[in-house]
Coordinates of all heavy atoms in Angstrom, one line a residue:
Chain W
L203 N 40.5 -19.9 37.2 CA 41.6 -19.1 37.8 C 42.2 -19.7 39.0 O 43.3 -19.3 39.4 CB 41.0 -17.7 38.1 CG 40.6 -16.9 36.9 CD1 39.9 -15.6 37.3 CD2 41.8 -16.5 36.0
G204 N 41.5 -20.6 39.7 CA 42.0 -21.2 40.9 C 43.2 -22.2 40.6 O 43.9 -22.5 41.5
N205 N 43.3 -22.6 39.3 CA 44.4 -23.5 39.0 C 45.6 -22.6 38.6 O 45.5 -21.8 37.7 CB 44.0 -24.4 37.8 CG 43.1 -25.5 38.3 OD1 43.5 -26.3 39.0 ND2 41.8 -25.4 37.9
V206 N 46.8 -23.0 39.1 CA 47.9 -22.1 38.9 C 48.3 -22.0 37.4 O 48.5 -21.0 36.9 CB 49.1 -22.7 39.7 CG1 50.3 -21.7 39.5 CG2 48.8 -22.8 41.1
V207 N 48.3 -23.2 36.7 CA 48.7 -23.2 35.3 C 47.8 -22.4 34.4 O 48.2 -21.8 33.4 CB 48.9 -24.6 34.7 CG1 50.2 -25.2 35.2 CG2 47.7 -25.4 35.0
V208 N 46.5 -22.3 34.8 CA 45.6 -21.5 34.0 C 45.6 -20.1 34.4 O 45.5 -19.2 33.6 CB 44.1 -22.1 34.1 CG1 43.2 -21.4 33.1 CG2 44.1 -23.6 34.0
D209 N 45.9 -19.9 35.7 CA 45.9 -18.5 36.2 C 47.1 -17.7 35.6 O 46.9 -16.5 35.3 CB 45.9 -18.5 37.7 CG 46.0 -17.1 38.2 OD1 44.9 -16.4 38.2 OD2 47.0 -16.6 38.7
V210 N 48.2 -18.4 35.5 CA 49.4 -17.6 35.2 C 49.2 -16.8 33.8 O 49.4 -15.6 33.8 CB 50.7 -18.5 35.1 CG1 51.8 -17.8 34.5 CG2 51.0 -18.9 36.6
P211 N 48.8 -17.5 32.7 CA 48.6 -16.6 31.5 C 47.4 -15.7 31.6 O 47.4 -14.6 31.0 CB 48.3 -17.7 30.4 CG 47.9 -18.9 31.1 CD 48.6 -18.9 32.5
L212 N 46.4 -16.0 32.5 CA 45.2 -15.2 32.5 C 45.3 -14.0 33.5 O 44.5 -13.1 33.6 CB 44.0 -16.0 32.8 CG 43.4 -16.9 31.7 CD1 42.3 -17.7 32.2 CD2 43.0 -16.0 30.5
S213 N 46.3 -14.1 34.4 CA 46.5 -13.2 35.5 C 46.6 -11.8 34.9 O 47.3 -11.5 33.9 CB 47.8 -13.5 36.3 OG 47.9 -12.7 37.4
D214 N 46.0 -10.8 35.6 CA 46.0 -9.4 35.2 C 45.5 -9.2 33.8 O 45.9 -8.2 33.1 CB 47.5 -8.9 35.3 CG 47.6 -8.1 36.6 OD1 46.6 -7.4 36.9 OD2 48.7 -8.2 37.2
T215 N 44.6 -10.1 33.3 CA 43.9 -9.8 32.0 C 42.5 -9.4 32.3 O 42.0 -9.5 33.5 CB 43.9 -11.0 31.1 OG1 43.1 -12.0 31.7 CG2 45.3 -11.5 30.8
M216 N 41.7 -9.0 31.3 CA 40.3 -8.7 31.4 C 39.5 -9.9 31.9 O 38.4 -9.8 32.4 CB 39.8 -8.2 30.1 CG 40.4 -6.9 29.7 SD 40.1 -5.5 30.9 CE 38.5 -5.0 30.4
F217 N 40.1 -11.1 31.7 CA 39.4 -12.3 32.2 C 39.1 -12.3 33.7 O 38.0 -12.6 34.2 CB 40.2 -13.6 31.8 CG 39.4 -14.9 31.9 CD1 38.7 -15.4 30.9 CD2 39.5 -15.6 33.1 CE1 37.9 -16.5 31.0 CE2 38.8 -16.8 33.3 CZ 38.0 -17.3 32.2
V218 N 40.1 -11.8 34.4 CA 40.0 -11.7 35.8 C 38.9 -10.6 36.2 O 38.1 -10.8 37.1 CB 41.3 -11.3 36.5 CG1 41.2 -11.1 38.0 CG2 42.4 -12.3 36.2
V219 N 38.9 -9.5 35.4 CA 37.8 -8.5 35.7 C 36.5 -9.1 35.5 O 35.5 -8.9 36.2 CB 38.1 -7.3 34.7 CG1 37.0 -6.3 35.0 CG2 39.4 -6.7 34.9
A220 N 36.3 -9.9 34.4 CA 35.1 -10.6 34.1 C 34.7 -11.5 35.2 O 33.5 -11.5 35.7 CB 35.2 -11.3 32.8
H221 N 35.6 -12.4 35.6 CA 35.3 -13.3 36.7 C 34.9 -12.6 38.0 O 33.8 -12.9 38.6 CB 36.6 -14.2 37.0 CG 36.5 -14.8 38.4 ND1 35.7 -15.8 38.7 CD2 37.2 -14.5 39.5 CE1 35.9 -16.1 40.0 NE2 36.8 -15.3 40.5
F222 N 35.7 -11.6 38.4 CA 35.4 -10.9 39.6 C 34.0 -10.3 39.6 O 33.2 -10.4 40.6 CB 36.5 -9.9 39.9 CG 36.1 -9.0 41.0 CD1 36.3 -9.4 42.3 CD2 35.6 -7.7 40.8 CE1 35.9 -8.5 43.4 CE2 35.2 -6.9 41.8 CZ 35.4 -7.3 43.1
H223 N 33.7 -9.6 38.5 CA 32.5 -8.8 38.5 C 31.3 -9.8 38.4 O 30.2 -9.5 39.0 CB 32.5 -7.8 37.4 CG 33.3 -6.6 37.7 ND1 34.6 -6.5 37.5 CD2 33.0 -5.5 38.4 CE1 35.1 -5.4 37.9 NE2 34.1 -4.7 38.5
M224 N 31.4 -10.9 37.7 CA 30.3 -11.8 37.6 C 30.0 -12.4 39.0 O 28.9 -12.4 39.5 CB 30.7 -13.0 36.6 CG 30.5 -12.6 35.2 SD 28.8 -12.5 34.8 CE 28.8 -12.1 33.1
V225 N 31.1 -12.8 39.7 CA 30.9 -13.6 40.9 C 30.7 -12.7 42.1 O 29.9 -13.0 43.0 CB 32.0 -14.6 41.1 CG1 33.3 -13.9 41.7 CG2 31.6 -15.8 41.9
M226 N 31.4 -11.6 42.2 CA 31.3 -10.8 43.4 C 30.7 -9.4 43.1 O 30.1 -8.8 44.0 CB 32.6 -10.7 44.1 CG 32.5 -10.1 45.5 SD 34.0 -9.4 46.1 CE 33.4 -8.3 47.3
G227 N 30.8 -8.9 41.9 CA 30.3 -7.6 41.6 C 28.8 -7.7 41.4 O 28.0 -7.2 42.1
V228 N 28.5 -8.4 40.3 CA 27.1 -8.3 39.8 C 26.2 -9.3 40.7 O 25.1 -8.9 41.1 CB 27.0 -8.7 38.3 CG1 25.6 -8.8 37.9 CG2 27.8 -7.7 37.5
A229 N 26.7 -10.5 40.9 CA 25.8 -11.5 41.5 C 25.2 -11.0 42.9 O 24.0 -11.0 43.0 CB 26.5 -12.8 41.7
P230 N 26.0 -10.6 43.8 CA 25.4 -10.1 45.1 C 24.6 -8.8 44.9 O 23.6 -8.7 45.6 CB 26.6 -9.8 46.0 CG 27.7 -10.6 45.4 CD 27.5 -10.6 44.0
I231 N 24.9 -8.0 43.9 CA 24.1 -6.8 43.7 C 22.7 -7.2 43.2 O 21.7 -6.6 43.6 CB 24.8 -5.8 42.8 CG1 25.9 -5.2 43.5 CG2 23.9 -4.8 42.2 CD1 26.8 -4.2 42.7
M232 N 22.6 -8.3 42.4 CA 21.3 -8.8 42.0 C 20.5 -9.1 43.2 O 19.3 -8.8 43.3 CB 21.5 -10.0 41.1 CG 22.1 -9.8 39.8 SD 21.0 -8.9 38.7 CE 22.0 -8.3 37.5
V233 N 21.2 -9.8 44.2 CA 20.4 -10.2 45.4 C 20.0 -9.0 46.2 O 18.9 -8.9 46.7 CB 21.3 -11.1 46.2 CG1 20.6 -11.5 47.5 CG2 21.7 -12.3 45.5
I234 N 20.9 -8.0 46.3 CA 20.6 -6.7 47.0 C 19.3 -6.1 46.4 O 18.4 -5.7 47.1 CB 21.8 -5.8 47.0 CG1 22.9 -6.3 47.9 CG2 21.3 -4.4 47.6 CD1 24.2 -5.6 47.8
F235 N 19.3 -6.0 45.1 CA 18.1 -5.4 44.4 C 16.9 -6.3 44.7 O 15.8 -5.8 45.1 CB 18.3 -5.4 42.9 CG 19.2 -4.2 42.5 CD1 20.2 -4.4 41.5 CD2 19.0 -3.0 43.1 CE1 21.0 -3.3 41.1 CE2 19.8 -1.9 42.7 CZ 20.8 -2.1 41.7
G236 N 17.1 -7.6 44.6 CA 16.0 -8.6 44.9 C 15.5 -8.3 46.3 O 14.3 -8.3 46.5
G237 N 16.4 -8.2 47.2 CA 16.1 -8.0 48.6 C 15.3 -6.7 48.8 O 14.3 -6.6 49.6

Side-chain angles (χ1 to χ4, degrees):
Chain W
L203 294 172
N205 285 293
V206 185
V207 282
V208 189
D209 179 74
V210 170
L212 286 175
S213 186
D214 261 322
T215 66
M216 296 300 277
F217 192 87
V218 177
V219 181
H221 158 72
F222 169 80
H223 284 89
M224 281 289 183
V225 81
M226 193 201 160
V228 176
I231 285 178
M232 292 290 163
V233 179
I234 291 171
F235 283 138

